[in-house]
Amino acid sequence: MIKKNYLLLLLIVTLGCAQWSCKYKTTAEHAANTDSIPGKKWWKEAIVYQIYPRSFKDSDGDGIGDLKGIISKLDYIKSLGINTVWINPIYSSPNDDNGYDVSDYRNIMKDFGTMADFDSLLKGMHERGIKLVMDLVVNHSSDEHEWFKQSRSSRTNPYRNYYHWWNAEKGKPSYRFSLFDINHDAWMYDSTTNAYYLHYFSRKQPDLNWENPKVRSEVYDIMKFWADKGIDGFRLDAFQFAAKDTTFPAFPKGFEKHFSLYYAMQGNLHKYLQEMNKEVLSKYNVMSVAEGAGNSFEDAHDLVDSNRHELNMAYAFDGVDIAKPGGYSLLKLKEVFARWDSAFASNGWLSIFLANHDQARLVSRFGNDSPEFRAPSAKMLATFIMTMRGTPYYYNGDELGMTNAGFTKIEDYRDMPTLNEYRHLESTGGDIPKFLKEKQFTDRDNARTPFQWDSTANAGFTTGIPWIEVNKNYKTINEAAEENNPNSVLNYFRKIVKLRKENPLLVYGKYTLLDKDNDDVYAYTRELDGKKFLILLNFKSKPAAFNTGIDISKAKLLLDNYSKPSDGNTLQPYEAAVWEL
Ligand code: GLC
């Protein structure tokens, strides 16, 4: 019997491997044994691949990516070597903000499919050893959520206090800044009950009242619903803004320039997180990550200090915010990453990322998307993210080195805040050409264009009309072409992911910054239990010298993004090298 089962298992494994290794080149995996490492956690060893479902793969020709599309690409996802996926919101939503406006937290958005599709997706991921982290959007809901419909219907409705209302007979409430509103006014007047409701984001995203225990317990129930289905984690969207002083005191004039100081980590936020931890997170083997880490190290620490029982990790924006249209300072980037690393060197954990669905493309912002340097700079950036301490997050398409779409007309854009800002400028006589120029580099739609699968129509993303235009460069930059090229960004990405998985020092090891004042080269070591790696990254489009004080003549080169690596003390443009010392 045992023998029979064993043979069956062997057959399944062999067939399974044969099925996807013919399409995707993968290398044998040797996930390192990290059992003896203190503070070891699976989510520290996670390599997170972020999927933007709307733009990943369309299965039914309606021009919108969907769950069945993702299912059809699971073998590709697995072939990257990543072990965790974070998927942007897939719940029912009228899509004012592409799913970040949820109208039913227990159902799947029609555009994306059904709950049965979700169950198959989760099963397919787990079968491949991939964990799934879902977005939890509970600073606000959609105005089309049943709670809000009830809440706005009368002042005495039992759901009234699920949101923040200000009765108009008291006069206008103190100004609150809205990030997405056309007038940036976060109070929206609603004539049904002669009152204003609060929305830090768009008018269709009213803020939930976290001071109401009923709201909190509804959210915990929603979390349990998904955790019981077997998901592996939550990314808490905009959660740092959830707690509010409901007396709504006046803030100083001009506060909106630093709104985070007034909005983030207020009131009882930490108490709510401790409650959430007790009620839900502690009861499941799930990871938790907050978008935003407050305004100070204390804030960040309090969020992720394991003794406080709140969350596992958070991500701050200081790093990602550095890239500007005119370029950025590598010294500043080093300073930010070194600072955050030191803050969590002995307690707590952080996320490492330079791109996501709220940013323009990684290679266009932090690398160089010219034909000459796109591939080396994309590989160099992958080396950076995969060799830092913290949990790396990589946004879909960046593993191919996809670039900014660089739209030139407002008609090409789909993102609601961009369209609102444009309308605002139009009505106030603002400088529209300047705005469009800036958006070419910064707009988040740059990173939301369809995933480029191949060189067929619409990059193989859909047989219909894509909801947003495909990047014009899809004939040359696409997955199929990169699959066939051993030197592609994609195949390099697989190698650097594998290196991270096989070397726990890249996860847990001490980080030491070298050659700190070098404005071209980012150099550092990672070390653990007597093993030490040196990482050398040239962030510039010219050869660059470095001086780490380390003799590499006897070191072993583990990976380099050039086929002819340089030795000595100079790196080629955007060269990345990982040495074992
Ligand atoms: C977060 C999301 C962003 C969304 C906003 C409002 O910042 O990442 O995409 O627009 O929250 O939910």
Side-chain angles (χ1 to χ4, degrees):
M1 182 67 181
I2 292 177
K3 200 168 164 205
K4 205 169 133 203
N5 282 348
Y6 173 77
L7 285 176
L8 194 66
L9 187 73
L10 196 71
L11 186 72
I12 293 171
V13 170
T14 318
L15 284 177
C17 292
Q19 192 209 333
W20 55 266
S21 58
C22 53
K23 179 135 191 243
Y24 302 109
K25 286 178 222 86
T26 49
T27 30
E29 280 173 27
H30 304 287
N33 186 352
T34 50
D35 288 354
S36 59
I37 294 175
K40 174 193 157 65
K41 296 280 179 218
W42 72 261
W43 41 266
K44 293 184 179 172
E45 291 168 33
I47 301 175
V48 184
Y49 181 66
Q50 182 192 346
I51 295 184
Y52 197 67
R54 208 173 173 77
S55 301
F56 196 63
K57 174 72 187 164
D58 175 23
S59 74
D60 58 6
D62 67 355
I64 299 172
D66 47 43
L67 301 187
K68 281 205 173 96
I70 302 174
I71 293 171
S72 72
K73 295 295 181 186
L74 280 176
D75 290 337
Y76 167 74
I77 296 166
K78 167 81 184 162
S79 80
L80 298 174
I82 60 89
N83 52 20
T84 306
V85 161
W86 153 33
I87 190 167
N88 290 97
I90 54 171
Y91 316 101
S92 302
S93 164
N95 273 314
D96 183 51
D97 186 19
N98 287 0
Y100 280 98
D101 46 322
V102 180
S103 54
D104 182 349
Y105 291 94
R106 288 184 175 81
N107 260 312
I108 301 295
M109 190 194 297
K110 284 204 181 60
D111 291 339
F112 289 167
T114 63
M115 193 57 92
D117 296 336
F118 173 81
D119 293 337
S120 314
L121 175 67
L122 183 62
K123 188 162 169 276
M125 285 192 177
H126 285 170
E127 277 166 3
R128 289 166 179 81
I130 299 171
K131 296 192 186 282
L132 179 62
V133 172
M134 307 262 292
D135 236 296
L136 183 71
V137 191
V138 289
N139 168 71
H140 46 270
S141 73
S142 160
D143 66 338
E144 296 182 33
H145 193 291
E146 189 55 32
W147 298 336
F148 191 74
K149 289 188 194 160
Q150 294 287 332
S151 184
R152 89 182 330 168
S153 67
S154 88
R155 287 190 181 185
T156 53
N157 186 285
Y159 288 91
R160 185 67 170 180
N161 288 332
Y162 271 44
Y163 297 86
H164 298 285
W165 290 97
W166 183 273
N167 292 338
E169 63 272 17
K170 293 199 283 177
K172 243 209 122 176
S174 332
Y175 175 61
R176 286 296 179 268
F177 166 74
S178 160
L179 284 89
F180 290 174
D181 192 82
I182 185 160
N183 301 320
H184 293 295
D185 183 350
W187 289 107
M188 177 71 193
Y189 178 71
D190 195 48
S191 59
T192 324
T193 56
N194 187 34
Y196 299 88
Y197 67 85
L198 185 73
H199 61 93
Y200 279 180
F201 293 91
S202 89
R203 293 173 188 179
K204 289 187 66 63
Q205 295 169 298
D207 282 43
L208 283 159
N209 179 6
W210 271 77
E211 280 60 49
N212 181 350
K214 284 198 190 135
V215 168
R216 304 204 296 275
S217 101
E218 296 260 20
V219 171
Y220 305 149
D221 285 348
I222 290 165
M223 293 173 78
K224 285 182 203 155
F225 171 83
W226 290 98
D228 285 336
K229 274 188 166 287
I231 70 154
D232 306 286
F234 297 99
R235 176 244 185 205
L236 277 71
D237 178 72
F239 195 76
Q240 56 173 354
F241 300 154
K244 281 137 188 135
D245 176 347
T246 52
T247 64
F248 294 107
F251 289 157
K253 207 168 161 14
F255 85 91
E256 62 275 15
K257 291 193 193 80
H258 314 281
F259 69 90
S260 174
L261 289 177
Y262 297 84
Y263 283 12
M265 305 288 168
Q266 299 299 300
N268 290 321
L269 192 95
H270 289 292
K271 264 195 144 146
Y272 300 154
L273 285 173
Q274 281 163 12
E275 186 182 73
M276 180 189 284
N277 188 299
K278 183 163 159 270
E279 296 294 325
V280 189
L281 300 173
S282 61
K283 297 187 174 153
Y284 298 86
N285 184 21
V286 289
M287 65 165 253
S288 51
V289 50
E291 182 198 25
N295 298 305
S296 66
F297 274 174
E298 275 107 68
D299 278 345
H301 258 292
D302 287 356
L303 270 181
V304 301
D305 179 340
S306 54
N307 299 321
R308 291 175 54 91
H309 306 290
E310 296 186 19
L311 301 175
N312 298 142
M313 58 183 130
Y315 59 86
F317 303 106
D318 324 22
V320 85
D321 282 348
I322 288 175
K324 297 279 181 268
Y328 65 97
S329 149
L330 177 63
L331 295 183
K332 176 86 186 129
L333 189 83
K334 289 184 190 183
E335 185 268 316
V336 166
F337 277 90
R339 185 153 45 84
W340 280 108
D341 185 85
S342 68
F344 294 106
S346 56
N347 197 2
W349 196 250
L350 82 160
S351 315
I352 300 289
F353 80 111
L354 279 180
N356 62 28
H357 67 292
D358 288 332
Q359 311 292 333
R361 279 285 170 193
L362 176 66
V363 73
S364 302
R365 296 183 79 218
F366 285 95
N368 184 328
D369 61 11
S370 69
E372 189 183 2
F373 293 124
R374 183 189 68 85
S377 67
K379 294 174 189 175
M380 184 277 291
L381 291 165
T383 314
F384 172 60
I385 299 288
M386 293 300 161
T387 56
M388 290 292 286
R389 176 156 57 185
T391 297
Y393 288 69
Y394 226 75
Y395 182 64
N396 59 191
D398 286 342
E399 79 276 22
L400 305 177
M402 276 177 63
T403 67
N404 274 358
F407 294 141
T408 51
K409 316 185 290 297
I410 194 65
E411 293 73 27
D412 292 333
Y413 286 98
R414 298 288 174 270
D415 194 20
M416 167 266 296
T418 305
L419 300 178
N420 279 350
E421 197 63 40
Y422 183 89
R423 276 167 42 216
H424 179 72
L425 288 176
E426 246 182 356
S427 63
T428 55
D431 190 341
I432 289 182
K434 181 169 166 246
F435 170 77
L436 287 176
K437 184 107 196 56
E438 203 178 288
K439 287 281 151 187
Q440 270 190 316
F441 182 78
T442 59
D443 199 84
R444 49 189 200 170
D445 272 350
N446 277 304
R448 296 178 175 188
T449 59
F451 193 98
Q452 293 164 211
W453 291 106
D454 56 40
S455 60
T456 64
N458 298 320
F461 162 70
T462 181
T463 53
I465 300 166
W467 71 276
I468 188 169
E469 223 180 280
V470 177
N471 191 316
K472 294 199 172 42
N473 61 21
Y474 75 92
K475 294 220 160 144
T476 46
I477 303 175
N478 61 65
E479 189 256 332
E482 297 205 18
E483 244 5 294
N484 294 329
N485 172 4
N487 294 322
S488 64
V489 179
L490 173 62
N491 281 317
Y492 182 87
F493 179 78
R494 289 177 171 135
K495 286 185 206 157
I496 190 72
V497 167
K498 181 168 176 282
L499 193 74
R500 184 175 180 96
K501 280 213 303 222
E502 291 176 356
N503 291 284
L505 97 170
L506 289 176
V507 178
Y508 296 101
K510 183 174 162 217
Y511 160 89
T512 308
L513 177 63
L514 306 168
D515 205 4
K516 183 166 153 272
D517 298 325
N518 190 326
D519 197 14
D520 302 324
V521 173
Y522 197 157
Y524 46 95
T525 53
R526 302 293 313 278
E527 61 189 296
L528 185 74
D529 295 338
K531 199 169 168 179
K532 194 168 180 179
F533 286 4
L534 169 68
I535 293 100
L536 299 169
L537 309 167
N538 181 1
F539 271 70
K540 297 290 159 68
S541 58
K542 53 177 194 203
F546 60 90
N547 181 7
T548 60
I550 295 177
D551 174 15
I552 50 172
S553 59
K554 293 204 182 69
K556 181 175 160 205
L557 183 63
L558 299 175
L559 192 60
D560 194 293
N561 62 349
Y562 273 75
S563 45
K564 286 204 187 95
S566 49
D567 43 19
N569 291 334
T570 309
L571 293 170
Q572 301 164 76
Y574 298 109
E575 185 166 1
V578 183
W579 293 87
E580 180 166 4
L581 299 175

